[in-house]
Structure formats: structure tokens, C-alpha cells
Amino acid sequence: MKAKQITSIAAVALMAASMGAPAVSAEESTTDYGGITLTLMNSKPEIQSELEKVTSEWGAEHNVTFDVYKTDAPQDTLAQKYASGDAPVISICDPGNVTEMGEEKFLDLSNEKWVADGGDTLGTKVNGVLYGFPVCVEADGMVYNKTAIEDILGREFVADDYATPEKFEELLKELRDGGMENPIILNQEIWSLGGHLLGNIYVFQDGTADGSYKFVKDTQEGVPVKDNAMFQNLITDLDMFIEYNINKKDPLAADYDMNAAYLAEGDAAFWVNGSWVWPDMQEYVDDSTDFGIMPIPKTDESMQNKINAFASKDIAIDKEMATEEQQKAALEFLDWLVYSEEGQDAMVNRFGFVVAFTNNPNAPVNPINENLKTYIDSGNTVNNAPYSGPTDGNAVMGPHMQAYVVGQENADDLAKDIEDYWSTRNPK
């Protein structure tokens, strides 16, 4: 189920920029949908409040009522909703959900207008058919408090100077010697440890889908995971994170909101997480503090200072239970997000996204996304789409990563866990 491989978001954006359609401030004629209801499953809880407002405003203009509910387990929620005959008309879900369910459950979006303005590049496809509207571009790595770091170092912090595990550990020691005892914030959630952090093994084999598929195939054919260079790299990084973890006394009791406060207030310097954290940090942020995002350290020189930037969420539209009128309204809502001034503003300024669509004129509104945009604009990104692992990856591997963090498993155990996982599964 492989689709066209993309390795540089920036290159695609430059090629597509001239194709973008101008925004319109209002539709020439507003469609009245006669009071229909659109159910919307939202798996980005941090935008729930603004999403409710935006859909309510659009709905009021089009005589549509939105029922927006959130979930942190989109696969489980979708399975339950389809089984009960109550599938959401619109789903904000993971690319893996689209890969797994697209052909059977979701509407073909291949002929939509916005496909030419970024949708074809970053939306999720199955066998060449587009089923996912790319909601936003995000990156995982380490979010950092630049001001707190520089206050201790007494010099400018340049993230590119600490691209290797050796250089980064020197920095951590310097911060500890300067009074920041534990500069790292490590989450305990299985999606963070088992998804994003462990996911570096797949993404950074060589930064491409082919590299990810090859790693899995090699593993299935008996090549020891413990001998893989990126696995060894991740273990080196993970051991550093554990040693300098602000939550090290009880790692699995780490509180996500408290982690956001630790970084925002400068109690720690680096949060192993992703560009999506700003809404969680914002209430703790002092306007005089600078923040950014950087990749985790790499031993492979070709992968250093490159960040994994990807369309982390898709919007899919149901084709099995939704009426034709509901589908039409849902499609018009997506057009509005891409092409109207109000929709473009909502995507960037209200939801806080870095958008996949090349025609959106709005610059990122928070410092983490601003920093991410510099990686995108300079071409220092990798993106291993369309590689997609099974949707149970986080649930199965997350607990093993948690066990490693608390010392109940070692590197050999974790390598064996990965081998066992792929012995009964295949990537999409």
C-alpha cells in the first residue's frame, strides 16, 4: 500500500506555492443545509474549545449543527462507533486510521480542489487513492526553553551545535553544573514513549519510507535489532534522558501538565515531545521567554539536525453511514478551511497549526511553530510517509518502553520486544 514518497516538505511547498488559490472573505452564496447535524470526532483535544467555536460559527452560517466530541484513542472510538452504527461524519484521526480504514469506510477525496494546494502531498493515501485531508504539520523531537539554557550558559544557545549524543551530553552536564540538576523532561504516556520516541528507530533509518520498510523486513528476516545503528542511537539518547529526567524519582508518575509548567517556567530545559505542546504550555509562559524545537541527537551524520515533520492528523469523511447531504456539507467545510480568509485564520491563529496547504498566507503564531517553520523552509526535514505501522503499535510497545525507563527491561529486552512484535505483523 505504498504511495509516493516525500522526503522534503520544503521542496514540495516551493513547487506548489505558485498553484495556491487566493483566499475569499465570504462565499458568493451560502448553502443552507436545512438543519442537518454533523458529528465530528476530534483526536486533537488541545483544540477542542476552538474547534467547537469554529464549527459553531460555520454551522450558524449554513444551518448545520455540529456535535463535536473528543477522544485520545481514535482507533478504539472509530471501531466502537462503526460497530454501533453511529459513525462520525467527520473524523480528525491518525494517518494510520486512514490507512487501515480508508478503502472501506471513508470518502475518496482525490478530486477535491485543495488536493492541488498541498493535500496530495501530505494527505494519507491507500493504493494511490486520497482519503485523508492533512490537518496540520507537526514534528517530534525536543522542545526547549532557550532563555533558561542561555541564563545558565551565559552564551547563545544554538541547537545545531548539539546534534550528536556526545555534544548533547556535554551540554546536559554543563547545565547540571550550572544549577539545573535535571534538564530533561520525559513523559510517561505510552503514545509518547511507544509512539514518538520509539518511532525514531523507523523514521531515521535513512529518513525515507523505504528505509523504514527495510528495517522491518530485515527484522522479520532475523537481523538482530540490537545491532541496528539507529536502535543503538536511541538507547544512548534514552539513557541520557533517564539520567537527567526531572521525573526520575518516579518516572511513571510524571504529570503532563506539570511537565508543561517545568519547561515553560525554566525548571528544565528540554521536553522530549513535539511541536503540538504550545497550548499546554501557554498558560505558564512568560512573554519574555524564548522557546524552540530540535531533533533528538543522532550518531548518523546524514540525519543530524533534521527533524521529523509530518502531517500528524487527517480529516476523513464517512461514506458508509453519512447521507449525501452530510458528505456535501463536510466537504464544503474543508474547502472553507483551505480557501476562506476565516478558515485560513482558524487553522493558523485559532488552532495554532503549521498548515500543509501552500496557499495559506498566515505565519505561525507561537515560537515553537516558528522554529519548526525554519526547518521546513530550509529543507532540514525528513518524512517517511507513506510508511505506517499497525495501529496497535503504541499500545503494545509503550509498556515495554515504560519498563525500560524504570529499569525493568534492558536494551536486549527491548530489542527482543521489537522482534517479537514484527514476527506477527506487517507495516502498511
Side-chain angles (χ1 to χ4, degrees):
M1 295 186 180
K2 297 183 183 180
K4 183 179 178 182
Q5 177 183 304
I6 299 297
T7 57
S8 173
I9 294 174
V12 174
L14 287 172
M15 288 188 292
S18 62
M19 299 169 61
V24 292
S25 59
E27 298 167 65
E28 292 182 5
S29 59
T30 301
T31 309
D32 186 326
Y33 285 99
I36 64 172
T37 296
L38 298 183
T39 49
L40 193 163
M41 184 195 77
N42 172 33
S43 65
K44 283 193 71 63
E46 65 268 26
I47 69 165
Q48 179 71 15
S49 178
E50 282 300 322
L51 184 61
E52 289 175 350
K53 294 175 186 175
V54 168
T55 52
S56 177
E57 291 162 11
W58 188 89
E61 290 292 321
H62 295 83
N63 199 8
V64 172
T65 299
F66 276 84
D67 175 13
V68 182
Y69 56 89
K70 60 184 177 180
T71 177
D72 59 4
Q75 181 67 23
D76 292 343
T77 302
L78 284 169
Q80 292 164 4
K81 291 290 185 180
Y82 272 99
S84 66
D86 186 29
V89 176
I90 302 172
S91 296
I92 298 178
C93 56
D94 297 335
N97 306 140
V98 179
T99 301
E100 188 166 287
M101 303 175 67
E103 290 182 308
E104 182 182 357
K105 305 292 187 185
F106 297 148
L107 198 64
D108 180 354
L109 304 175
S110 303
N111 295 319
E112 294 304 302
K113 179 181 177 181
W114 44 262
V115 170
D117 290 311
D120 185 64
T121 302
L122 290 169
T124 300
K125 298 177 182 178
V126 182
N127 292 327
V129 178
L130 184 69
Y131 295 102
F133 170 102
V135 177
C136 56
V137 178
E138 294 182 320
D140 54 23
M142 300 185 297
V143 182
Y144 59 83
N145 185 322
K146 188 172 188 286
T147 302
I149 296 167
E150 292 178 343
D151 285 347
I152 292 176
L153 298 183
R155 63 179 186 274
E156 183 182 6
F157 171 70
V158 179
D160 286 359
D161 293 343
Y162 305 96
T164 69
E166 295 77 15
K167 286 293 186 182
F168 189 68
E169 187 163 23
E170 289 176 9
L171 173 63
L172 295 179
K173 289 177 179 177
E174 190 172 357
L175 292 172
R176 178 172 279 181
D177 291 343
M180 186 182 286
E181 180 65 19
N182 292 305
I184 293 289
I185 305 164
L186 192 61
N187 293 324
Q188 57 86 10
E189 287 81 4
I190 62 172
W191 61 261
S192 182
L193 295 173
H196 294 294
L197 190 51
L198 186 62
N200 279 270
I201 295 176
Y202 305 96
V203 174
F204 288 100
Q205 290 296 319
D206 65 2
T208 71
D210 286 345
S212 302
Y213 287 119
K214 183 178 186 303
F215 170 71
V216 173
K217 183 178 180 182
D218 287 347
T219 300
Q220 292 172 331
E221 293 179 351
V223 177
V225 168
K226 68 179 182 180
D227 295 338
N228 181 266
M230 190 58 217
F231 175 79
Q232 295 170 356
N233 187 160
L234 182 64
I235 292 297
T236 299
D237 287 342
L238 188 53
D239 288 346
M240 270 195 296
F241 297 157
I242 292 168
E243 165 60 27
Y244 290 90
N245 182 13
I246 198 170
N247 299 304
K248 67 189 298 182
K249 290 183 179 179
D250 194 354
L252 300 189
D255 180 81
Y256 197 83
D257 288 337
M258 185 62 70
N259 287 348
Y262 285 148
L263 186 75
E265 296 173 359
D267 296 313
F270 300 94
W271 189 5
V272 184
N273 210 331
S275 60
W276 51 84
V277 301
W278 186 254
D280 301 290
M281 292 171 52
Q282 197 165 10
E283 65 178 292
Y284 308 108
V285 167
D286 182 327
D287 289 342
S288 64
T289 306
D290 292 330
F291 299 92
I293 188 169
M294 63 185 287
I296 69 167
K298 305 291 190 312
T299 52
D300 182 346
E301 187 174 354
S302 70
M303 292 291 101
Q304 289 168 6
N305 295 321
K306 293 183 181 295
I307 203 159
N308 178 30
F310 52 95
S312 57
K313 294 288 180 181
D314 282 302
I315 291 178
I317 298 174
D318 173 62
K319 73 175 181 182
E320 185 175 275
M321 301 178 190
T323 67
E324 185 176 339
E325 194 76 352
Q326 287 174 318
Q327 292 172 357
K328 181 181 175 183
L331 289 169
E332 186 171 337
F333 178 64
L334 297 190
D335 282 345
W336 179 83
L337 288 174
V338 178
Y339 294 112
S340 73
E341 289 181 1
E342 297 87 350
Q344 291 175 344
D345 176 76
M347 291 283 274
V348 175
N349 297 316
R350 299 178 68 174
F351 298 155
F353 291 159
V354 173
V355 296
F357 296 99
T358 57
N359 65 311
N360 192 310
N362 298 293
V365 294
N366 72 63
I368 298 171
N369 280 344
E370 287 174 1
N371 190 204
L372 170 57
K373 190 69 160 51
T374 66
Y375 282 94
I376 295 172
D377 290 345
S378 63
N380 288 319
T381 66
V382 298
N383 174 11
N384 71 334
Y387 171 85
S388 178
T391 52
D392 68 351
N394 291 1
V396 175
M397 292 306 303
H400 292 297
M401 288 287 284
Q402 289 176 326
Y404 188 92
V405 167
V406 298
Q408 294 175 356
E409 291 194 17
N410 60 30
D412 287 345
D413 295 327
L414 192 57
K416 179 67 163 49
D417 295 332
I418 295 171
E419 291 165 358
D420 289 345
Y421 180 81
W422 288 114
S423 68
T424 58
R425 296 167 178 82
N426 288 300
K428 301 291 188 288

